[in-house]
């Protein structure tokens, strides 16, 4: 009987912990603009610090967009090489070797 009571307490504690995690104003829990704004307001940053944060975020977003664009271009290039290898019935590496020898 005591074990059941302990088990129920443990389950109850885990449930309340999960609820607290969902309701916390932690940035890792923020999934939309409203939640992120609410979290940032808790930081109570001055205008200067908010502008620094804005600059840092803009730089990070630009960097990530550039990285994704490079990745997309590389994937497009790989697809074109694969299509050439199929078209001429040669291996991927042979296409790369031909391209390297012609440049």
């Amino acid at each position: 009987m005591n074990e059941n009571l302990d088990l129920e307490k443990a389950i109850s504690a885990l449930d309340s912990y999960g609820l607290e995690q969902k309701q916390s104003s932690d940035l890792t829990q923020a999934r939309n603009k409203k939640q992120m704004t609410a979290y940032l307001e808790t930081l109570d940053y001055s205008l200067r610090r908010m502008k620094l944060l804005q600059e840092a975020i803009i730089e990070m977003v630009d960097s990530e967009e550039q990285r994704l664009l490079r990745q997309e271009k590389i994937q497009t290039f790989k697809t074109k090489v694969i299509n050439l290898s199929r078209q001429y019935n040669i291996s991927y590496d042979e296409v790369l070797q031909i391209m390297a020898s012609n440049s």
Side-chain angles (χ1 to χ4, degrees):
M1 184 75 164
N2 195 17
E3 289 178 16
N4 286 342
L5 188 57
D6 290 340
L7 182 60
E8 287 178 24
K9 285 181 181 178
I11 291 173
S12 176
L14 287 173
D15 286 343
S16 65
Y17 176 74
L19 182 62
E20 288 172 12
Q21 286 294 326
K22 288 179 185 175
Q23 293 176 345
S24 74
S25 61
D26 186 5
L27 188 59
T28 60
Q29 301 297 321
R31 297 290 182 251
N32 58 44
K33 183 179 176 180
K34 183 179 177 183
Q35 291 171 337
M36 287 188 183
T37 301
Y39 171 76
L40 291 171
E41 286 174 350
T42 66
L43 297 177
D44 197 29
Y45 278 177
S46 67
L47 180 60
R48 181 178 177 275
R49 288 187 77 189
M50 286 191 292
K51 286 185 176 189
L52 284 172
L53 178 62
Q54 181 183 28
E55 288 176 29
I57 289 171
I58 288 170
E59 287 176 10
M60 289 177 67
V61 168
D62 288 345
S63 176
E64 182 66 10
E65 285 175 340
Q66 289 174 4
R67 186 189 70 76
L68 290 172
L69 183 60
R70 275 193 313 273
Q71 186 178 349
E72 181 181 334
K73 287 181 178 183
I74 289 170
Q75 187 59 44
T76 300
F77 177 78
K78 286 180 178 180
T79 301
K80 288 180 180 182
V81 172
I82 289 169
N83 289 338
L84 283 171
S85 71
R86 288 180 182 159
Q87 181 180 350
Y88 293 105
N89 199 25
I90 58 178
S91 73
Y92 182 90
D93 290 331
E94 287 175 312
V95 173
L96 292 178
Q97 288 174 357
I98 293 168
M99 292 172 72
S101 68
N102 288 335
S103 54

